[in-house]
Amino acid sequence: MLLRFITTTHQLNWASLYYFTKHTRPKAQPHREKTRAKAISDDKSGKIAKSDQEQEQKQQQENLKKKIELEKLRALQPKMHTWSSFYETHIPQTKKIPKTIYLSLNEQTEGRRKHYKKFVQPPVDITEECNQKFEIKQHTYEDPFAQPKRAGLIAVKVGMTAQWDKWGYRHALTVLQLDNNQVVQIVKNDTYTGLQIGAGAVNIKTLKKPQIGHFLKANIPPKKYIKEFPITPENVLPVGFMLTARHFTPGQYIDIQGISTGKGFGGTVKRHNFKTQPATHGNSLCHRQLGSTGQRQDPGRVFKGKKMPGHLGNDKVTCEGVQIYRIDAVRQLIYIKGSVPGKPGSIVYLRDSWKVQKKNKDLLNFPTLAVENGKEYAKEIVMEAPLEDPELQETHENDFPKAGEDAED
């Protein structure tokens, strides 16, 4: 009727007709669709109710299984205990390492910063409890051309310090600490053998189901960091074996891998060691600029890989051929000569140096140091200093006159 009224009383306007037909369409009625969905037969509704009950039962069973698995993992975790006379017997010798430098994640507070923090209480040492059931036999290599590979370790960078040897030379040292390095899994293939090492403690509530099953299969407490190291088949260690700082020996060379300190956006002078432009002779406000980056119309572009300003740091860095100076077996500390990538609290991976194998062969224990029951071992091991003063070796006997002889004019 409205359409007939519009066409008879007024001239036919196609724009108004289109507007009228568009905005008078029947709208969607979701409430009727809901009523249709509810109008299901009693048989179908009964089946749906049964399926819902079955799903609830399955969820309850899964929750019970997860609770049982979590209780098993909690039982495997080491319990923290008091160390009343610990600091009286083991006091650090250096001033830069305070008494509260023991690092662990067993008592870490929840928050945004999840890296290692300093605690007054040292981490729990459970090496004796874990390694009592294992018997490991050491072996040697008679072949001079053999290239054996051992498992590596996961450590935490504590900071830097310095020590002097008997000749008065100062050695800058980086302190690394181990936090319960344990074998999690043995990976074997036709052409590959590897050991999966775990370190650190983690809250059980944050684990997922595959991770819970992975640690329950190994029958070890959950680990925060896991790293796989390739090894030779004869250097396999059993699952659950605890590796300590005695795995390495002072004087040997290792490779250290870690994430370098992020430095933001860096220019070419700092990032690529470019030379600066002249300070005078007409140069203004371009002293640290990049300069020319290409050629003329041919090739008419900038080649890929051109050194330019950009993001500096926060990359994976490997320091090769770093020497171990000292090992503290009680506090699980490793002192390394020189610098290590990363900030204090960052994670680094240690392994035997691949390029300096000949020097390491006489110092290494394959597959690791087998601790004998009842035998006492040194708590601290320091690298031996040279027999003679290194500076005196460089002088020649003719540089100084002998006793009783006058120097020539």
Side-chain angles (χ1 to χ4, degrees):
M1 295 297 292
L2 290 172
L3 183 61
R4 186 182 296 176
F5 175 77
I6 290 171
T7 53
T8 53
T9 56
H10 302 281
Q11 293 181 357
L12 186 60
N13 189 353
W14 291 105
S16 61
L17 183 61
Y18 173 75
Y19 179 83
F20 176 79
T21 55
K22 180 181 178 182
H23 293 276
T24 55
R25 291 176 184 173
K27 296 181 180 179
Q29 299 177 352
H31 61 281
R32 292 191 177 182
E33 294 178 0
K34 290 182 181 179
T35 54
R36 290 173 187 171
K38 291 180 180 179
I40 303 173
S41 61
D42 297 337
D43 297 336
K44 290 184 179 180
S45 61
K47 292 179 181 179
I48 291 171
K50 289 181 181 178
S51 62
D52 292 340
Q53 291 178 0
E54 292 175 356
Q55 289 180 359
E56 289 179 359
Q57 290 177 359
K58 287 182 180 179
Q59 287 182 357
Q60 290 177 359
Q61 292 177 358
E62 290 178 357
N63 293 334
L64 286 173
K65 288 182 180 179
K66 189 173 181 180
K67 286 181 180 178
I68 294 168
E69 291 175 350
L70 291 175
E71 288 176 359
K72 290 181 180 178
L73 279 180
R74 287 194 183 95
L76 293 173
Q77 277 189 328
K79 295 181 180 179
M80 300 296 291
H81 51 83
T82 58
W83 295 59
S84 58
S85 62
F86 189 85
Y87 297 111
E88 297 176 0
T89 55
H90 306 97
I91 298 175
Q93 296 180 2
T94 57
K95 295 181 180 179
K96 290 190 177 181
I97 302 180
K99 298 179 182 180
T100 61
I101 203 64
Y102 301 97
L103 305 175
S104 179
L105 283 175
N106 294 332
E107 289 187 352
Q108 183 177 356
T109 57
E110 296 181 358
R112 295 178 65 184
R113 303 181 71 181
K114 296 183 180 180
H115 56 76
Y116 279 72
K117 296 182 180 180
K118 298 179 182 179
F119 292 96
V120 177
Q121 194 172 15
V124 179
D125 189 10
I126 56 173
T127 53
E128 294 182 0
E129 300 176 4
C130 295
N131 296 342
Q132 281 180 355
K133 55 185 177 181
F134 301 113
E135 293 183 2
I136 295 174
K137 296 182 180 179
Q138 294 185 5
H139 59 271
T140 57
Y141 291 90
E142 297 179 357
D143 186 6
F145 300 100
Q147 295 181 347
K149 287 184 181 180
R150 302 191 309 161
L153 296 178
I154 304 172
V156 186
K157 182 177 177 179
V158 177
M160 291 198 70
T161 183
Q163 286 190 356
W164 284 259
D165 58 7
K166 66 178 184 179
W167 301 111
Y169 292 100
R170 181 180 184 273
H171 299 281
L173 306 175
T174 303
V175 186
L176 306 177
Q177 187 176 24
L178 307 180
D179 190 2
N180 294 336
N181 281 246
Q182 204 167 4
V183 180
V184 179
Q185 188 183 19
I186 300 172
V187 183
K188 279 190 177 182
N189 231 346
D190 295 338
T191 58
Y192 174 80
T193 306
L195 275 183
Q196 198 178 83
I197 307 296
V202 65
N203 191 358
I204 299 175
K205 294 180 180 179
T206 60
L207 294 177
K208 298 179 182 179
K209 288 183 180 179
Q211 295 174 333
I212 293 172
H214 186 63
F215 292 117
L216 279 177
K217 186 178 180 181
N219 195 23
I220 61 172
K223 303 294 181 181
K224 185 172 181 61
Y225 301 100
I226 293 177
K227 176 72 172 177
E228 186 175 320
F229 296 95
I231 62 170
T232 48
E234 62 273 10
N235 291 323
V236 174
L237 294 170
V239 175
F241 184 80
M242 187 75 70
L243 292 166
T244 61
R246 295 182 186 275
H247 183 67
F248 296 122
T249 54
Q252 79 161 98
Y253 295 88
I254 61 173
D255 295 339
I256 303 177
Q257 187 183 75
I259 303 297
S260 61
T261 304
K263 299 178 181 179
F265 193 91
T268 53
V269 176
K270 186 176 182 180
R271 193 183 185 205
H272 300 295
N273 199 20
F274 276 21
K275 191 174 79 171
T276 57
Q277 297 187 25
T280 58
H281 296 285
N283 191 346
S284 59
L285 305 179
C286 292
H287 308 290
R288 297 175 67 91
Q289 294 298 322
L290 173 63
S292 177
T293 59
Q295 295 79 38
R296 303 176 71 178
Q297 186 174 358
D298 185 15
R301 63 186 179 89
V302 179
F303 292 113
K304 291 183 178 179
K306 174 64 181 172
K307 294 180 179 179
M308 290 186 176
H311 188 265
L312 180 60
N314 197 24
D315 293 326
K316 187 183 290 185
V317 180
T318 303
C319 296
E320 297 180 345
V322 183
Q323 197 173 19
I324 296 177
Y325 182 79
R326 177 185 169 191
I327 287 177
D328 190 345
V330 177
R331 296 183 291 167
Q332 296 297 313
L333 297 177
I334 301 176
Y335 296 76
I336 292 169
K337 295 175 70 173
S339 59
V340 172
K343 289 185 176 181
S346 59
I347 302 296
V348 293
Y349 304 109
L350 317 178
R351 68 189 79 189
D352 299 330
S353 181
W354 181 248
K355 293 184 178 180
V356 200
Q357 289 189 2
K358 292 183 180 179
K359 297 181 180 179
N360 284 346
K361 272 189 179 179
D362 298 334
L363 300 172
L364 300 182
N365 300 310
F366 296 98
T368 187
L369 179 65
V371 179
E372 299 178 4
N373 294 329
K375 186 177 179 180
E376 294 184 359
Y377 293 88
K379 296 180 181 179
E380 292 184 3
I381 314 168
V382 184
M383 187 180 72
E384 295 182 358
L387 299 175
E388 297 181 359
D389 192 349
E391 284 192 0
L392 294 178
Q393 293 178 2
E394 298 177 359
T395 59
H396 195 265
E397 59 181 2
N398 295 333
D399 293 343
F400 302 97
K402 295 182 181 179
E405 298 181 0
D406 296 334
E408 297 181 0
D409 295 333

